[in-house]
Amino acid sequence: MGLDFTAIDFETANGFRGSPCAVGLTKVRGGQIVDEASWLMRPPPNHDHFDYHNVRIHGIRADDVAGHPRFGELFPEIGAFIGDDILAAHNAAFDLGVIRSGLEVSGLPGPAYDYVCTVMLSRRCYSLVSNSLPFAAEEAGVPLVKHHDAAEDARACAGILIDIARRNQANSIGELYLSLGLVMPRQQAFDPATDGLSKSSIAALAAAGSGTAAPLRPFQSGWPEEGANPLPNPDAEPGHPLYGQTVVFTGALSIERPEAKRRSADVGARPESRVTGRTTVLVVGDGFVASDLRSGRLTGKARRVLELHDRGQPIEVLSEGEFLQMVGGFAAAAIA
């Protein structure tokens, strides 16, 4: 078996994972890109509003997808392109969640997928202060001209995985995971008619039923309330990119900081209140994006992280949007 997989990237209309408006797919055979596909689509009914923050990131508006098939109508074509391939995604918890939630709120069953997360692999195999797609693509030597274009992002994800496999002298995804001592995660098949819905879908359906959008925390001056540091969920999925990480938060978030800590603990992370030698991930609010690491728009905690990283501590910075993609739930900044 060669290095065979399909890389996938979704863009969403709003903060709900099940609101896909675009998808890009890149098929790899023997470590070479052999085919690509991309579609615009309307999100599922009742989840098809376009938030300003999402549009600002990817540039797709409601008018751009008007007349296109809805996600549920288009998924047979998407699924046919993927076939039986292993799926690769940069922050796979998000993209696999898009498939699940998008099908759930469309009332459709979904197939099982083995998948790999290039965020997690980047963290394992590179030494970057940010493992966001532009930073990882640059390390892999992969061009990324237009970040948040689904087709380009899928192609960059494929290039990152090809580079990581090459660095580890792995001729297949199975060999790569074996060499890293990892177990490949799997999203099981599901049917919303008989199985329980995901937490993300339950929250979205509740919000749609009430006719209200998910509330955002109003701006509050002063230091945010840290709250308690809950223990990591012992039953969390080990393949999650935050599993086993020690996470600290800084800056104003669109959700309460205790809620952010709870979400991180739910996926197996250990939240703490200050940056120490144990810290492996710093989540930065205040509208921070990864490119701010180069521009210098940083909080004191973020500067401390850069110092620790320069001294060899394996630590990285996430934007709140990247964090929310990983842990699910609503917020205006949770974009694909």
Side-chain angles (χ1 to χ4, degrees):
M1 178 180 287
L3 187 64
D4 302 342
F5 62 90
T6 292
I8 190 167
D9 180 82
F10 282 103
E11 302 297 329
T12 56
N14 53 67
F16 171 45
R17 287 179 174 180
S19 66
C21 58
V23 66
L25 298 122
T26 298
K27 188 171 288 292
V28 172
R29 289 291 180 269
Q32 300 292 326
I33 293 174
V34 297
D35 199 6
E36 294 182 311
S38 62
W39 289 274
L40 290 175
M41 68 197 75
R42 286 184 295 158
N46 302 317
H47 306 283
D48 51 3
H49 62 282
F50 279 71
D51 285 347
Y52 165 78
H53 295 277
N54 294 63
V55 173
R56 180 173 58 87
I57 294 297
H58 53 56
I60 302 169
R61 303 176 183 274
D63 290 346
D64 297 322
V65 302
H68 286 265
R70 290 197 184 271
F71 171 69
E73 299 167 327
L74 190 59
F75 188 76
E77 291 186 62
I78 297 171
F81 186 94
I82 297 168
D84 295 328
D85 277 5
I86 295 168
L87 278 178
H90 203 73
N91 186 11
F94 173 77
D95 294 281
L96 271 292
V98 171
I99 293 175
R100 173 147 193 165
S101 288
L103 290 176
E104 284 178 335
V105 297
S106 301
L108 298 172
Y113 289 114
D114 292 322
Y115 64 92
V116 301
C117 177
T118 50
V119 169
M120 187 181 72
L121 292 175
S122 172
R123 185 180 291 141
R124 284 267 187 154
C125 301
Y126 299 152
S127 180
L128 304 174
V129 72
S130 168
N131 288 291
S132 67
L133 190 64
F135 280 72
E138 181 181 46
E139 177 68 17
V142 177
L144 180 59
V145 177
K146 188 180 179 183
H147 185 26
H148 295 297
D149 175 276
E152 288 214 26
D153 285 0
R155 190 181 309 125
C157 172
I160 292 165
L161 184 50
I162 291 168
D163 178 67
I164 288 173
R166 178 188 59 80
R167 294 189 187 203
N168 287 274
Q169 300 180 325
N171 296 314
S172 69
I173 302 297
E175 281 189 20
L176 175 62
Y177 266 62
L178 185 62
S179 70
L180 296 173
L182 299 173
V183 176
M184 191 179 307
R186 180 176 177 85
Q187 176 162 284
Q188 299 295 336
F190 59 89
D191 186 340
T194 57
D195 300 328
L197 300 181
S198 62
K199 290 181 180 179
S200 180
S201 295
I202 291 171
L205 290 169
S210 67
T212 60
L216 297 179
R217 183 180 66 82
F219 175 78
Q220 297 175 347
S221 61
W223 294 105
E225 173 58 44
E226 282 285 345
N229 292 314
L231 294 175
N233 174 13
D235 299 320
E237 170 56 57
H240 193 281
L242 289 178
Y243 182 87
Q245 304 297 315
T246 300
V247 181
V248 175
F249 298 88
T250 185
L253 306 177
S254 63
I255 59 176
E256 298 284 355
R257 194 168 291 185
E259 170 66 9
K261 289 185 172 184
R262 183 193 64 77
R263 292 192 195 182
S264 65
D266 282 349
V267 298
R270 181 179 297 278
E272 293 190 344
S273 299
R274 62 189 183 90
V275 175
T276 69
R278 294 185 299 273
T279 309
T280 58
V281 173
L282 179 72
V283 178
V284 185
D286 296 317
F288 165 87
V289 292
S291 59
D292 291 337
L293 290 168
R294 292 179 172 132
S295 70
R297 191 175 74 86
L298 299 171
T299 66
K301 284 183 180 177
R303 290 191 182 91
R304 173 65 174 155
V305 163
L306 290 178
E307 293 172 3
L308 292 172
H309 186 270
D310 288 343
R311 294 177 190 172
Q313 181 171 333
I315 188 169
E316 67 174 296
V317 179
L318 292 179
S319 68
E320 183 189 6
E322 290 170 317
F323 169 75
L324 288 169
Q325 282 186 347
M326 293 179 180
V327 299
F330 285 92
I335 45 83

